[in-house]
Tab-separated table of all heavy atoms in Angstrom:
chain	number	residue	atom	x	y	z
A	495	MET	N	-12.687	15.270	3.271
A	495	MET	CA	-12.420	13.945	2.739
A	495	MET	C	-11.909	13.048	3.865
A	495	MET	O	-10.969	13.372	4.557
A	495	MET	CB	-11.368	14.047	1.635
A	495	MET	CG	-11.064	12.728	1.002
A	495	MET	SD	-9.996	12.961	-0.412
A	495	MET	CE	-8.590	12.066	0.141
A	496	LYS	N	-12.556	11.942	4.043
A	496	LYS	CA	-12.136	10.990	5.062
A	496	LYS	C	-11.103	10.037	4.480
A	496	LYS	O	-11.259	9.526	3.384
A	496	LYS	CB	-13.334	10.205	5.577
A	496	LYS	CG	-14.330	11.058	6.321
A	496	LYS	CD	-15.440	10.210	6.861
A	496	LYS	CE	-16.439	11.059	7.583
A	496	LYS	NZ	-17.528	10.266	8.117
A	497	LEU	N	-10.036	9.783	5.244
A	497	LEU	CA	-8.972	8.912	4.753
A	497	LEU	C	-9.254	7.440	5.004
A	497	LEU	O	-8.837	6.594	4.238
A	497	LEU	CB	-7.646	9.289	5.402
A	497	LEU	CG	-7.048	10.610	4.967
A	497	LEU	CD1	-5.776	10.880	5.760
A	497	LEU	CD2	-6.748	10.601	3.496
A	498	PHE	N	-9.937	7.126	6.093
A	498	PHE	CA	-10.104	5.730	6.465
A	498	PHE	C	-11.564	5.290	6.390
A	498	PHE	O	-12.137	4.825	7.356
A	498	PHE	CB	-9.542	5.472	7.861
A	498	PHE	CG	-8.059	5.637	7.936
A	498	PHE	CD1	-7.489	6.700	8.586
A	498	PHE	CD2	-7.231	4.732	7.313
A	498	PHE	CE1	-6.118	6.854	8.642
A	498	PHE	CE2	-5.863	4.868	7.362
A	498	PHE	CZ	-5.301	5.935	8.027
A	499	ILE	N	-12.148	5.420	5.220
A	499	ILE	CA	-13.488	4.891	4.990
A	499	ILE	C	-13.331	3.411	4.663
A	499	ILE	O	-12.585	3.041	3.763
A	499	ILE	CB	-14.178	5.624	3.820
A	499	ILE	CG1	-14.340	7.103	4.160
A	499	ILE	CG2	-15.524	4.994	3.522
A	499	ILE	CD1	-14.826	7.927	3.004
A	500	LYS	N	-14.025	2.567	5.400
A	500	LYS	CA	-13.881	1.125	5.182
A	500	LYS	C	-14.468	0.748	3.830
A	500	LYS	O	-15.588	1.113	3.496
A	500	LYS	CB	-14.555	0.352	6.304
A	500	LYS	CG	-13.839	0.516	7.606
A	500	LYS	CD	-14.414	-0.375	8.662
A	500	LYS	CE	-13.609	-0.167	9.940
A	500	LYS	NZ	-14.079	-0.993	11.011
A	501	ASN	N	-13.687	0.002	3.056
A	501	ASN	CA	-14.167	-0.477	1.761
A	501	ASN	C	-13.826	-1.950	1.556
A	501	ASN	O	-13.724	-2.412	0.444
A	501	ASN	CB	-13.628	0.386	0.615
A	501	ASN	CG	-12.114	0.399	0.538
A	501	ASN	OD1	-11.438	-0.278	1.288
A	501	ASN	ND2	-11.591	1.189	-0.383
A	502	GLN	N	-13.633	-2.676	2.670
A	502	GLN	CA	-13.346	-4.107	2.601
A	502	GLN	C	-14.300	-4.857	3.523
A	502	GLN	O	-14.602	-4.398	4.621
A	502	GLN	CB	-11.914	-4.397	3.052
A	502	GLN	CG	-10.858	-3.809	2.195
A	502	GLN	CD	-9.483	-4.039	2.782
A	502	GLN	OE1	-9.332	-4.459	3.910
A	502	GLN	NE2	-8.469	-3.749	2.006
A	503	SER	N	-14.727	-6.019	3.067
A	503	SER	CA	-15.585	-6.851	3.906
A	503	SER	C	-14.742	-7.527	4.986
A	503	SER	O	-13.520	-7.583	4.914
A	503	SER	CB	-16.289	-7.910	3.050
A	503	SER	OG	-15.339	-8.817	2.525
A	504	LYS	N	-15.427	-8.035	5.997
A	504	LYS	CA	-14.730	-8.684	7.111
A	504	LYS	C	-13.959	-9.919	6.640
A	504	LYS	O	-12.843	-10.173	7.078
A	504	LYS	CB	-15.732	-9.066	8.195
A	504	LYS	CG	-15.088	-9.495	9.486
A	504	LYS	CD	-16.083	-9.575	10.596
A	504	LYS	CE	-16.336	-8.255	11.182
A	504	LYS	NZ	-15.747	-7.851	12.363
A	505	LYS	N	-14.547	-10.672	5.723
A	505	LYS	CA	-13.881	-11.873	5.202
A	505	LYS	C	-12.593	-11.511	4.467
A	505	LYS	O	-11.557	-12.151	4.651
A	505	LYS	CB	-14.845	-12.611	4.275
A	505	LYS	CG	-14.291	-13.919	3.765
A	505	LYS	CD	-15.343	-14.810	3.189
A	505	LYS	CE	-15.777	-14.784	1.876
A	505	LYS	NZ	-16.608	-15.731	1.286
A	506	GLU	N	-12.649	-10.474	3.658
A	506	GLU	CA	-11.467	-10.049	2.920
A	506	GLU	C	-10.381	-9.532	3.866
A	506	GLU	O	-9.192	-9.773	3.657
A	506	GLU	CB	-11.833	-8.953	1.929
A	506	GLU	CG	-10.666	-8.504	1.099
A	506	GLU	CD	-11.052	-7.475	0.068
A	506	GLU	OE1	-12.227	-7.069	0.009
A	506	GLU	OE2	-10.167	-7.076	-0.684
A	507	ARG	N	-10.776	-8.850	4.926
A	507	ARG	CA	-9.807	-8.342	5.894
A	507	ARG	C	-9.088	-9.485	6.599
A	507	ARG	O	-7.877	-9.431	6.830
A	507	ARG	CB	-10.508	-7.449	6.906
A	507	ARG	CG	-10.978	-6.152	6.288
A	507	ARG	CD	-11.833	-5.351	7.206
A	507	ARG	NE	-11.023	-4.813	8.296
A	507	ARG	CZ	-11.526	-4.140	9.301
A	507	ARG	NH1	-12.828	-3.918	9.367
A	507	ARG	NH2	-10.749	-3.686	10.251
A	508	ILE	N	-9.806	-10.542	6.934
A	508	ILE	CA	-9.195	-11.706	7.593
A	508	ILE	C	-8.206	-12.385	6.644
A	508	ILE	O	-7.100	-12.760	7.046
A	508	ILE	CB	-10.277	-12.683	8.080
A	508	ILE	CG1	-11.058	-12.051	9.228
A	508	ILE	CG2	-9.676	-14.013	8.500
A	508	ILE	CD1	-12.298	-12.818	9.628
A	509	ILE	N	-8.586	-12.533	5.386
A	509	ILE	CA	-7.697	-13.157	4.400
A	509	ILE	C	-6.431	-12.324	4.216
A	509	ILE	O	-5.320	-12.854	4.194
A	509	ILE	CB	-8.434	-13.350	3.052
A	509	ILE	CG1	-9.517	-14.413	3.206
A	509	ILE	CG2	-7.463	-13.721	1.941
A	509	ILE	CD1	-10.456	-14.514	2.027
A	510	ARG	N	-6.571	-11.001	4.132
A	510	ARG	CA	-5.399	-10.132	3.991
A	510	ARG	C	-4.496	-10.222	5.209
A	510	ARG	O	-3.274	-10.203	5.088
A	510	ARG	CB	-5.830	-8.684	3.780
A	510	ARG	CG	-6.318	-8.405	2.383
A	510	ARG	CD	-6.733	-6.951	2.267
A	510	ARG	NE	-7.344	-6.697	0.988
A	510	ARG	CZ	-6.831	-5.882	0.071
A	510	ARG	NH1	-5.723	-5.236	0.320
A	510	ARG	NH2	-7.440	-5.705	-1.067
A	511	LEU	N	-5.081	-10.317	6.400
A	511	LEU	CA	-4.289	-10.423	7.621
A	511	LEU	C	-3.475	-11.710	7.635
A	511	LEU	O	-2.274	-11.699	7.938
A	511	LEU	CB	-5.191	-10.353	8.849
A	511	LEU	CG	-4.492	-10.433	10.195
A	511	LEU	CD1	-3.625	-9.202	10.416
A	511	LEU	CD2	-5.502	-10.580	11.304
A	512	ILE	N	-4.095	-12.818	7.274
A	512	ILE	CA	-3.396	-14.103	7.263
A	512	ILE	C	-2.263	-14.094	6.232
A	512	ILE	O	-1.136	-14.509	6.530
A	512	ILE	CB	-4.391	-15.256	6.986
A	512	ILE	CG1	-5.334	-15.418	8.172
A	512	ILE	CG2	-3.659	-16.558	6.692
A	512	ILE	CD1	-6.514	-16.331	7.912
A	513	ILE	N	-2.530	-13.600	5.024
A	513	ILE	CA	-1.492	-13.547	3.993
A	513	ILE	C	-0.367	-12.609	4.420
A	513	ILE	O	0.812	-12.909	4.220
A	513	ILE	CB	-2.094	-13.124	2.638
A	513	ILE	CG1	-3.026	-14.215	2.122
A	513	ILE	CG2	-1.010	-12.840	1.613
A	513	ILE	CD1	-3.825	-13.826	0.897
A	514	GLY	N	-0.705	-11.482	5.034
A	514	GLY	CA	0.306	-10.552	5.502
A	514	GLY	C	1.211	-11.160	6.561
A	514	GLY	O	2.432	-10.975	6.536
A	515	LEU	N	0.628	-11.920	7.484
A	515	LEU	CA	1.435	-12.575	8.514
A	515	LEU	C	2.358	-13.632	7.917
A	515	LEU	O	3.502	-13.783	8.344
A	515	LEU	CB	0.529	-13.193	9.583
A	515	LEU	CG	-0.199	-12.190	10.474
A	515	LEU	CD1	-1.206	-12.913	11.366
A	515	LEU	CD2	0.785	-11.389	11.292
A	516	VAL	N	1.875	-14.355	6.915
A	516	VAL	CA	2.715	-15.347	6.238
A	516	VAL	C	3.870	-14.651	5.516
A	516	VAL	O	5.013	-15.104	5.586
A	516	VAL	CB	1.878	-16.190	5.243
A	516	VAL	CG1	2.770	-17.020	4.341
A	516	VAL	CG2	0.908	-17.083	5.998
A	517	PHE	N	3.588	-13.536	4.865
A	517	PHE	CA	4.643	-12.801	4.157
A	517	PHE	C	5.688	-12.264	5.125
A	517	PHE	O	6.885	-12.319	4.849
A	517	PHE	CB	4.048	-11.658	3.346
A	517	PHE	CG	3.452	-12.069	2.023
A	517	PHE	CD1	3.319	-13.399	1.666
A	517	PHE	CD2	3.008	-11.122	1.134
A	517	PHE	CE1	2.764	-13.770	0.455
A	517	PHE	CE2	2.454	-11.466	-0.081
A	517	PHE	CZ	2.337	-12.795	-0.420
A	518	ILE	N	5.257	-11.727	6.255
A	518	ILE	CA	6.220	-11.197	7.221
A	518	ILE	C	7.048	-12.314	7.838
A	518	ILE	O	8.223	-12.127	8.145
A	518	ILE	CB	5.503	-10.359	8.290
A	518	ILE	CG1	5.113	-9.032	7.671
A	518	ILE	CG2	6.368	-10.147	9.514
A	518	ILE	CD1	4.610	-8.000	8.601
A	519	SER	N	6.467	-13.473	7.997
A	519	SER	CA	7.219	-14.589	8.572
A	519	SER	C	8.330	-15.076	7.642
A	519	SER	O	9.198	-15.835	8.071
A	519	SER	CB	6.278	-15.743	8.921
A	519	SER	OG	5.770	-16.333	7.743
A	520	SER	N	8.344	-14.623	6.389
A	520	SER	CA	9.425	-15.016	5.481
A	520	SER	C	10.774	-14.470	5.935
A	520	SER	O	11.812	-14.997	5.569
A	520	SER	CB	9.124	-14.545	4.055
A	520	SER	OG	9.201	-13.134	3.976
A	521	LEU	N	10.765	-13.430	6.752
A	521	LEU	CA	12.022	-12.879	7.265
A	521	LEU	C	12.683	-13.799	8.282
A	521	LEU	O	13.874	-13.669	8.544
A	521	LEU	CB	11.772	-11.514	7.915
A	521	LEU	CG	11.549	-10.353	6.969
A	521	LEU	CD1	11.183	-9.106	7.756
A	521	LEU	CD2	12.769	-10.102	6.132
A	522	VAL	N	11.932	-14.736	8.848
A	522	VAL	CA	12.489	-15.645	9.855
A	522	VAL	C	13.484	-16.608	9.220
A	522	VAL	O	14.510	-16.932	9.820
A	522	VAL	CB	11.355	-16.433	10.553
A	522	VAL	CG1	11.900	-17.499	11.469
A	522	VAL	CG2	10.448	-15.474	11.305
A	523	TYR	N	13.221	-17.032	8.007
A	523	TYR	CA	14.038	-18.052	7.371
A	523	TYR	C	15.286	-17.493	6.704
A	523	TYR	O	16.341	-18.100	6.722
A	523	TYR	CB	13.216	-18.838	6.349
A	523	TYR	CG	12.019	-19.491	6.974
A	523	TYR	CD1	10.739	-19.042	6.706
A	523	TYR	CD2	12.172	-20.538	7.867
A	523	TYR	CE1	9.635	-19.636	7.293
A	523	TYR	CE2	11.077	-21.128	8.468
A	523	TYR	CZ	9.821	-20.674	8.171
A	523	TYR	OH	8.744	-21.252	8.764
A	524	GLU	N	15.161	-16.349	6.079
A	524	GLU	CA	16.277	-15.792	5.324
A	524	GLU	C	16.051	-14.290	5.168
A	524	GLU	O	14.920	-13.838	5.001
A	524	GLU	CB	16.320	-16.440	3.930
A	524	GLU	CG	17.383	-15.884	3.036
A	524	GLU	CD	17.308	-16.450	1.632
A	524	GLU	OE1	16.460	-17.301	1.357
A	524	GLU	OE2	18.114	-16.007	0.803
A	525	VAL	N	17.124	-13.525	5.221
A	525	VAL	CA	17.022	-12.088	4.985
A	525	VAL	C	17.785	-11.763	3.706
A	525	VAL	O	19.000	-11.904	3.633
A	525	VAL	CB	17.599	-11.282	6.168
A	525	VAL	CG1	17.560	-9.802	5.865
A	525	VAL	CG2	16.843	-11.588	7.443
A	526	SER	N	17.041	-11.400	2.698
A	526	SER	CA	17.617	-10.985	1.420
A	526	SER	C	16.746	-9.852	0.882
A	526	SER	O	15.746	-9.475	1.492
A	526	SER	CB	17.663	-12.147	0.426
A	526	SER	OG	16.363	-12.526	0.052
A	527	ASN	N	17.130	-9.316	-0.244
A	527	ASN	CA	16.346	-8.226	-0.827
A	527	ASN	C	14.924	-8.664	-1.145
A	527	ASN	O	13.973	-7.917	-0.936
A	527	ASN	CB	17.027	-7.697	-2.088
A	527	ASN	CG	18.307	-6.961	-1.784
A	527	ASN	OD1	18.507	-6.496	-0.663
A	527	ASN	ND2	19.173	-6.857	-2.765
A	528	LEU	N	14.776	-9.876	-1.656
A	528	LEU	CA	13.455	-10.384	-2.007
A	528	LEU	C	12.576	-10.554	-0.772
A	528	LEU	O	11.410	-10.155	-0.774
A	528	LEU	CB	13.568	-11.711	-2.756
A	528	LEU	CG	12.244	-12.358	-3.164
A	528	LEU	CD1	11.484	-11.448	-4.116
A	528	LEU	CD2	12.487	-13.706	-3.789
A	529	THR	N	13.116	-11.116	0.300
A	529	THR	CA	12.303	-11.320	1.498
A	529	THR	C	11.942	-9.991	2.160
A	529	THR	O	10.880	-9.880	2.757
A	529	THR	CB	13.002	-12.242	2.514
A	529	THR	OG1	14.287	-11.698	2.835
A	529	THR	CG2	13.133	-13.644	1.974
A	530	ILE	N	12.797	-8.986	2.027
A	530	ILE	CA	12.458	-7.662	2.568
A	530	ILE	C	11.295	-7.055	1.793
A	530	ILE	O	10.363	-6.494	2.385
A	530	ILE	CB	13.694	-6.745	2.559
A	530	ILE	CG1	14.699	-7.243	3.598
A	530	ILE	CG2	13.306	-5.296	2.831
A	530	ILE	CD1	16.027	-6.546	3.568
A	531	VAL	N	11.301	-7.199	0.478
A	531	VAL	CA	10.190	-6.698	-0.340
A	531	VAL	C	8.907	-7.456	-0.004
A	531	VAL	O	7.830	-6.857	0.115
A	531	VAL	CB	10.533	-6.816	-1.848
A	531	VAL	CG1	9.319	-6.542	-2.713
A	531	VAL	CG2	11.668	-5.889	-2.201
A	532	ILE	N	9.003	-8.762	0.176
A	532	ILE	CA	7.832	-9.566	0.537
A	532	ILE	C	7.316	-9.153	1.909
A	532	ILE	O	6.104	-9.041	2.129
A	532	ILE	CB	8.172	-11.068	0.486
A	532	ILE	CG1	8.383	-11.504	-0.959
A	532	ILE	CG2	7.083	-11.908	1.133
A	532	ILE	CD1	8.908	-12.913	-1.115
A	533	ALA	N	8.215	-8.884	2.860
A	533	ALA	CA	7.798	-8.464	4.196
A	533	ALA	C	7.131	-7.087	4.165
A	533	ALA	O	6.153	-6.859	4.884
A	533	ALA	CB	8.996	-8.460	5.140
A	534	ILE	N	7.624	-6.182	3.344
A	534	ILE	CA	6.981	-4.863	3.208
A	534	ILE	C	5.584	-5.014	2.624
A	534	ILE	O	4.633	-4.359	3.063
A	534	ILE	CB	7.855	-3.922	2.355
A	534	ILE	CG1	9.114	-3.555	3.133
A	534	ILE	CG2	7.086	-2.675	1.942
A	534	ILE	CD1	10.147	-2.813	2.323
A	535	THR	N	5.444	-5.902	1.645
A	535	THR	CA	4.120	-6.192	1.084
A	535	THR	C	3.208	-6.768	2.158
A	535	THR	O	2.026	-6.405	2.248
A	535	THR	CB	4.244	-7.177	-0.096
A	535	THR	OG1	5.139	-6.635	-1.055
A	535	THR	CG2	2.896	-7.441	-0.731
A	536	GLY	N	3.739	-7.656	2.998
A	536	GLY	CA	2.961	-8.213	4.098
A	536	GLY	C	2.532	-7.147	5.092
A	536	GLY	O	1.398	-7.160	5.579
A	537	GLY	N	3.422	-6.205	5.381
A	537	GLY	CA	3.067	-5.112	6.276
A	537	GLY	C	1.960	-4.247	5.705
A	537	GLY	O	1.061	-3.804	6.433
A	538	THR	N	2.005	-4.020	4.400
A	538	THR	CA	0.949	-3.257	3.744
A	538	THR	C	-0.382	-3.992	3.824
A	538	THR	O	-1.430	-3.381	4.085
A	538	THR	CB	1.319	-3.003	2.267
A	538	THR	OG1	2.585	-2.351	2.226
A	538	THR	CG2	0.286	-2.160	1.568
A	539	LEU	N	-0.359	-5.299	3.621
A	539	LEU	CA	-1.590	-6.084	3.717
A	539	LEU	C	-2.153	-6.064	5.141
A	539	LEU	O	-3.368	-5.987	5.339
A	539	LEU	CB	-1.338	-7.522	3.266
A	539	LEU	CG	-1.124	-7.727	1.771
A	539	LEU	CD1	-0.707	-9.165	1.495
A	539	LEU	CD2	-2.377	-7.381	1.008
A	540	ILE	N	-1.273	-6.125	6.132
A	540	ILE	CA	-1.729	-6.070	7.521
A	540	ILE	C	-2.340	-4.705	7.824
A	540	ILE	O	-3.374	-4.608	8.482
A	540	ILE	CB	-0.573	-6.414	8.484
A	540	ILE	CG1	-0.219	-7.891	8.345
A	540	ILE	CG2	-0.939	-6.088	9.920
A	540	ILE	CD1	1.010	-8.303	9.112
A	541	PHE	N	-1.703	-3.634	7.341
A	541	PHE	CA	-2.276	-2.299	7.531
A	541	PHE	C	-3.653	-2.207	6.898
A	541	PHE	O	-4.588	-1.660	7.493
A	541	PHE	CB	-1.356	-1.225	6.942
A	541	PHE	CG	-1.966	0.139	6.954
A	541	PHE	CD1	-2.036	0.857	8.137
A	541	PHE	CD2	-2.478	0.696	5.799
A	541	PHE	CE1	-2.617	2.115	8.158
A	541	PHE	CE2	-3.049	1.948	5.809
A	541	PHE	CZ	-3.120	2.672	6.997
A	542	ASN	N	-3.803	-2.737	5.685
A	542	ASN	CA	-5.107	-2.739	5.021
A	542	ASN	C	-6.133	-3.527	5.816
A	542	ASN	O	-7.294	-3.124	5.909
A	542	ASN	CB	-5.000	-3.327	3.616
A	542	ASN	CG	-4.360	-2.384	2.638
A	542	ASN	OD1	-4.339	-1.190	2.831
A	542	ASN	ND2	-3.808	-2.934	1.577
A	543	ALA	N	-5.722	-4.660	6.375
A	543	ALA	CA	-6.655	-5.492	7.133
A	543	ALA	C	-7.096	-4.801	8.418
A	543	ALA	O	-8.269	-4.836	8.781
A	543	ALA	CB	-6.010	-6.837	7.461
A	544	VAL	N	-6.174	-4.153	9.104
A	544	VAL	CA	-6.508	-3.501	10.368
A	544	VAL	C	-7.370	-2.261	10.131
A	544	VAL	O	-8.350	-2.033	10.832
A	544	VAL	CB	-5.215	-3.143	11.139
A	544	VAL	CG1	-5.515	-2.266	12.336
A	544	VAL	CG2	-4.510	-4.419	11.585
A	545	SER	N	-7.020	-1.468	9.131
A	545	SER	CA	-7.761	-0.232	8.881
A	545	SER	C	-9.062	-0.480	8.113
A	545	SER	O	-9.980	0.329	8.187
A	545	SER	CB	-6.896	0.761	8.105
A	545	SER	OG	-6.679	0.330	6.788
A	546	GLY	N	-9.129	-1.576	7.362
A	546	GLY	CA	-10.318	-1.851	6.556
A	546	GLY	C	-10.388	-0.995	5.309
A	546	GLY	O	-11.430	-0.885	4.679
A	547	ASN	N	-9.281	-0.394	4.943
A	547	ASN	CA	-9.241	0.532	3.834
A	547	ASN	C	-8.161	0.116	2.849
A	547	ASN	O	-7.031	-0.119	3.222
A	547	ASN	CB	-8.945	1.939	4.366
A	547	ASN	CG	-8.938	2.971	3.290
A	547	ASN	OD1	-9.619	2.835	2.297
A	547	ASN	ND2	-8.157	4.001	3.479
A	548	CYS	N	-8.530	0.023	1.583
A	548	CYS	CA	-7.569	-0.274	0.522
A	548	CYS	C	-7.584	0.905	-0.446
A	548	CYS	O	-8.617	1.227	-1.033
A	548	CYS	CB	-7.944	-1.555	-0.206
A	548	CYS	SG	-6.818	-1.971	-1.544
A	549	TYR	N	-6.428	1.564	-0.590
A	549	TYR	CA	-6.366	2.751	-1.444
A	549	TYR	C	-6.490	2.408	-2.919
A	549	TYR	O	-6.969	3.219	-3.702
A	549	TYR	CB	-5.079	3.523	-1.161
A	549	TYR	CG	-5.116	4.167	0.197
A	549	TYR	CD1	-4.381	3.655	1.247
A	549	TYR	CD2	-5.921	5.267	0.428
A	549	TYR	CE1	-4.429	4.225	2.496
A	549	TYR	CE2	-5.983	5.849	1.680
A	549	TYR	CZ	-5.234	5.333	2.712
A	549	TYR	OH	-5.297	5.899	3.940
A	550	ILE	N	-6.080	1.217	-3.304
A	550	ILE	CA	-6.262	0.810	-4.702
A	550	ILE	C	-7.749	0.662	-5.011
A	550	ILE	O	-8.216	1.091	-6.067
A	550	ILE	CB	-5.485	-0.493	-4.997
A	550	ILE	CG1	-3.986	-0.241	-4.851
A	550	ILE	CG2	-5.813	-1.017	-6.392
A	550	ILE	CD1	-3.140	-1.477	-4.942
A	551	TYR	N	-8.491	0.062	-4.080
A	551	TYR	CA	-9.948	-0.025	-4.256
A	551	TYR	C	-10.554	1.368	-4.360
A	551	TYR	O	-11.454	1.612	-5.155
A	551	TYR	CB	-10.590	-0.750	-3.083
A	551	TYR	CG	-10.508	-2.248	-3.120
A	551	TYR	CD1	-9.788	-2.922	-4.084
A	551	TYR	CD2	-11.169	-3.012	-2.165
A	551	TYR	CE1	-9.721	-4.296	-4.101
A	551	TYR	CE2	-11.107	-4.383	-2.171
A	551	TYR	CZ	-10.388	-5.017	-3.143
A	551	TYR	OH	-10.336	-6.376	-3.143
A	552	ARG	N	-10.080	2.297	-3.531
A	552	ARG	CA	-10.633	3.649	-3.545
A	552	ARG	C	-10.367	4.325	-4.888
A	552	ARG	O	-11.243	4.987	-5.434
A	552	ARG	CB	-10.044	4.479	-2.427
A	552	ARG	CG	-10.651	5.876	-2.406
A	552	ARG	CD	-10.104	6.720	-1.338
A	552	ARG	NE	-10.556	6.210	-0.053
A	552	ARG	CZ	-10.347	6.840	1.070
A	552	ARG	NH1	-9.697	7.966	1.089
A	552	ARG	NH2	-10.776	6.331	2.205
A	553	MET	N	-9.160	4.162	-5.436
A	553	MET	CA	-8.847	4.774	-6.727
A	553	MET	C	-9.722	4.199	-7.839
A	553	MET	O	-10.094	4.902	-8.772
A	553	MET	CB	-7.372	4.571	-7.076
A	553	MET	CG	-6.442	5.430	-6.285
A	553	MET	SD	-4.738	5.363	-6.846
A	553	MET	CE	-4.307	3.649	-6.608
A	554	LEU	N	-10.045	2.912	-7.736
A	554	LEU	CA	-10.867	2.262	-8.757
A	554	LEU	C	-12.364	2.414	-8.498
A	554	LEU	O	-13.177	2.010	-9.318
A	554	LEU	CB	-10.511	0.769	-8.830
A	554	LEU	CG	-9.088	0.460	-9.289
A	554	LEU	CD1	-8.825	-1.035	-9.182
A	554	LEU	CD2	-8.838	0.958	-10.686
A	555	GLY	N	-12.731	2.957	-7.328
A	555	GLY	CA	-14.147	3.115	-7.002
A	555	GLY	C	-14.815	1.808	-6.632
A	555	GLY	O	-16.017	1.637	-6.804
A	556	TYR	N	-14.069	0.861	-6.094
A	556	TYR	CA	-14.565	-0.472	-5.785
A	556	TYR	C	-14.678	-0.637	-4.265
A	556	TYR	O	-13.891	-0.089	-3.520
A	556	TYR	CB	-13.577	-1.507	-6.348
A	556	TYR	CG	-13.999	-2.933	-6.207
A	556	TYR	CD1	-15.046	-3.447	-6.957
A	556	TYR	CD2	-13.348	-3.774	-5.316
A	556	TYR	CE1	-15.416	-4.775	-6.821
A	556	TYR	CE2	-13.721	-5.086	-5.174
A	556	TYR	CZ	-14.763	-5.573	-5.934
A	556	TYR	OH	-15.122	-6.874	-5.778
A	557	SER	N	-15.671	-1.388	-3.824
A	557	SER	CA	-15.850	-1.650	-2.400
A	557	SER	C	-16.446	-3.037	-2.225
A	557	SER	O	-17.348	-3.422	-2.958
A	557	SER	CB	-16.766	-0.610	-1.771
A	557	SER	OG	-16.987	-0.912	-0.422
A	558	THR	N	-15.937	-3.779	-1.239
A	558	THR	CA	-16.511	-5.087	-0.930
A	558	THR	C	-17.290	-5.062	0.377
A	558	THR	O	-17.738	-6.083	0.844
A	558	THR	CB	-15.412	-6.165	-0.838
A	558	THR	OG1	-14.484	-5.795	0.181
A	558	THR	CG2	-14.709	-6.339	-2.158
A	559	CYS	N	-17.425	-3.865	0.969
A	559	CYS	CA	-18.210	-3.725	2.190
A	559	CYS	C	-19.691	-3.936	1.873
A	559	CYS	O	-20.180	-3.460	0.854
A	559	CYS	CB	-18.041	-2.318	2.773
A	559	CYS	SG	-16.979	-2.264	4.177
A	560	PRO	N	-20.387	-4.627	2.771
A	560	PRO	CA	-21.824	-4.771	2.543
A	560	PRO	C	-22.525	-3.407	2.721
A	560	PRO	O	-22.095	-2.581	3.512
A	560	PRO	CB	-22.263	-5.761	3.627
A	560	PRO	CG	-21.184	-5.752	4.637
A	560	PRO	CD	-19.935	-5.326	3.944
A	561	VAL	N	-23.575	-3.195	1.978
A	561	VAL	CA	-24.319	-1.945	2.042
A	561	VAL	C	-25.153	-1.937	3.311
A	561	VAL	O	-25.833	-2.900	3.627
A	561	VAL	CB	-25.225	-1.794	0.793
A	561	VAL	CG1	-26.055	-0.539	0.873
A	561	VAL	CG2	-24.388	-1.817	-0.469
A	562	ASP	N	-25.078	-0.806	4.044
A	562	ASP	CA	-25.869	-0.681	5.280
A	562	ASP	C	-27.314	-0.418	4.990
A	562	ASP	O	-27.700	0.266	4.152
A	562	ASP	CB	-25.319	0.449	6.161
A	562	ASP	CG	-23.930	0.099	6.694
A	562	ASP	OD1	-23.613	-1.091	6.769
A	562	ASP	OD2	-23.202	1.059	7.019
């Protein structure tokens, strides 16, 4: 079983990366429990964007990658 099979399109990966960076930048303004949770969510989105793999998509059997 391969762990990092890409199941996201390039467009979706770029969108996740941008949203993840915005979420992580919330720590610059204020550090509270809410901003830490938002930053962790942003880190998860960045990991998904870099790896091209979303485990929720895999559990649901969904893929936005174009067919080769």
Side-chain angles (χ1 to χ4, degrees):
M495 182 173 117
K496 294 183 181 180
L497 290 177
F498 294 109
I499 298 172
K500 292 187 179 181
N501 60 4
Q502 296 175 349
S503 66
K504 191 168 278 260
K505 184 164 87 170
E506 182 177 2
R507 291 172 70 185
I508 291 170
I509 291 170
R510 283 180 187 244
L511 181 67
I512 292 169
I513 293 172
L515 290 172
V516 169
F517 280 7
I518 285 190
S519 69
S520 69
L521 284 174
V522 173
Y523 302 110
E524 177 186 358
V525 177
S526 67
N527 291 339
L528 179 62
T529 56
I530 291 172
V531 170
I532 290 172
I534 290 171
T535 304
T538 304
L539 288 173
I540 291 173
F541 173 76
N542 285 338
V544 171
S545 70
N547 182 29
C548 179
Y549 290 106
I550 295 173
Y551 280 6
R552 182 180 291 188
M553 286 188 298
L554 295 174
Y556 185 71
S557 177
T558 59
C559 256
V561 177
D562 293 336

